[in-house]
Amino acid sequence: MQFCPKMDTEDAFFIYVLESYKASKKLTGAQALAELKNTGAADFIKQNFGALHTMSIESILQDIDDFLQKKN
């Protein structure tokens, strides 16, 4: 059974990561999305879906933090 027939797996995964990132950083949804978009992390998540979706959320969030540190 597909939960949302118009949402593909990659979009659902991005939302899962976004919500997890939001909670871990104590941000609003708008703040978290803006931060991921403005830093290029949103593209990083989408481009690396193949590898990231097999990892724990803790590892994914660490990879995002590592990505952001390298950007700065």
Side-chain angles (χ1 to χ4, degrees):
M1 179 171 108
Q2 191 172 9
F3 181 74
C4 184
K6 293 186 179 190
M7 184 180 300
D8 66 22
T9 303
E10 292 181 26
D11 289 339
F13 176 75
F14 181 79
I15 292 169
Y16 168 67
V17 173
L18 174 64
E19 289 294 323
S20 299
Y21 184 79
K22 175 187 88 166
S24 74
K25 302 297 183 185
K26 296 179 178 39
L27 300 171
T28 66
Q31 290 170 323
L33 182 58
E35 186 170 314
L36 293 179
K37 281 184 166 184
N38 293 338
T39 60
D43 292 330
F44 168 79
I45 295 164
K46 291 176 183 180
Q47 292 168 357
N48 293 286
F49 167 77
L52 292 175
H53 85 279
T54 64
M55 299 165 51
S56 70
I57 191 60
E58 295 82 12
S59 294
I60 295 167
L61 294 175
Q62 184 60 56
D63 278 2
I64 293 169
D65 286 342
D66 292 346
F67 173 83
L68 294 175
Q69 284 180 348
K70 288 178 186 175
K71 295 281 288 182
N72 291 330

